[in-house]
Amino acid sequence: EEAGRLREPRQLHEYEASGFAEVQGLPPFQLRPVPNECTRPIPFKYVHPASETEFYRRHLPGVFRRVVADTASRRPAASEVGGKEEAAIVERLTHVVEHVPCTLLAVYADRTCDIELGTEFLRRWEVSPERRFLVPGAVDCDASGRGGGPSAGPRALLRGVPAERLRGVQA
């Protein structure tokens, strides 16, 4: 699979999340602005986390199992430097997780939910048909926007989404 190259951390919160502060031999951090017109900047490079729990706690970009597989395929056997293993830097991603605003419509006893995807996300997706998304659940689309007035825009409902796939805004 083709992998996208990641950029250097530009903001202080990116640098802290990257784990670069703990790695010896890297150039010092330089704060640089992200241009205002960047609505979805390319994710930043980061030190490979020790566990999947740490990966999610640090809110790192990518899909953990794919990051592990890609890092392992590019890295030779663990090299020892002064009795300590070298830090693996994640420099590319094959897939990125995008959190999409949605409205929770129903929760069922089998721990599945029905949700409606955010209209603004659907509008952006309409103008970028080359972007592909893997969404959980069964998709029920109404591209006409009926029932919400002329400016309602497209609607997409996802039925049977596992509850554990949802994350609250404050989480």
Side-chain angles (χ1 to χ4, degrees):
E1 288 184 45
E2 191 63 32
R5 310 276 312 137
L6 302 181
R7 63 179 172 80
E8 295 295 327
R10 297 177 73 105
Q11 301 289 299
L12 186 57
H13 71 278
E14 293 175 344
Y15 181 72
E16 290 170 351
S18 73
F20 283 2
E22 289 82 39
V23 178
Q24 300 293 324
L26 291 178
F29 172 68
Q30 291 183 314
L31 183 65
R32 291 170 289 188
V34 174
N36 287 338
E37 60 272 4
C38 283
T39 56
R40 284 188 346 266
I42 294 170
F44 55 89
K45 296 177 184 178
Y46 55 91
V47 175
H48 195 289
S51 67
E52 187 171 7
T53 302
E54 183 182 347
F55 179 84
Y56 290 113
R57 184 184 54 75
R58 289 172 46 195
H59 303 286
L60 295 172
V63 178
F64 183 75
R65 65 182 173 82
R66 294 180 187 276
V67 170
V68 169
D70 185 60
T71 304
S73 70
R74 292 183 305 105
R75 192 167 184 218
S79 56
E80 294 288 328
V81 178
K84 189 176 180 184
E85 186 176 322
E86 267 185 25
I89 307 293
V90 177
E91 298 179 341
R92 63 187 198 167
L93 294 177
T94 58
H95 293 74
V96 176
V97 174
E98 183 168 337
H99 298 282
V100 177
C102 63
T103 302
L104 180 64
L105 302 174
V107 180
Y108 302 102
D110 64 353
R111 299 192 38 83
T112 62
C113 307
D114 291 350
I115 63 170
E116 181 176 0
L117 295 177
T119 306
E120 187 59 36
F121 166 76
L122 292 171
R123 285 186 178 134
R124 281 184 307 172
W125 193 6
E126 272 185 329
V127 298
S128 303
E130 72 282 354
R131 296 205 59 212
R132 296 181 301 167
F133 293 92
L134 175 64
V135 293
V139 180
D140 182 10
C141 288
D142 177 11
S144 67
R146 287 189 301 259
S151 63
R155 295 185 69 190
L157 296 153
L158 299 179
R159 301 186 187 284
V161 177
E164 57 270 7
R165 298 294 301 270
L166 301 179
R167 179 179 295 164
V169 175
Q170 272 64 16

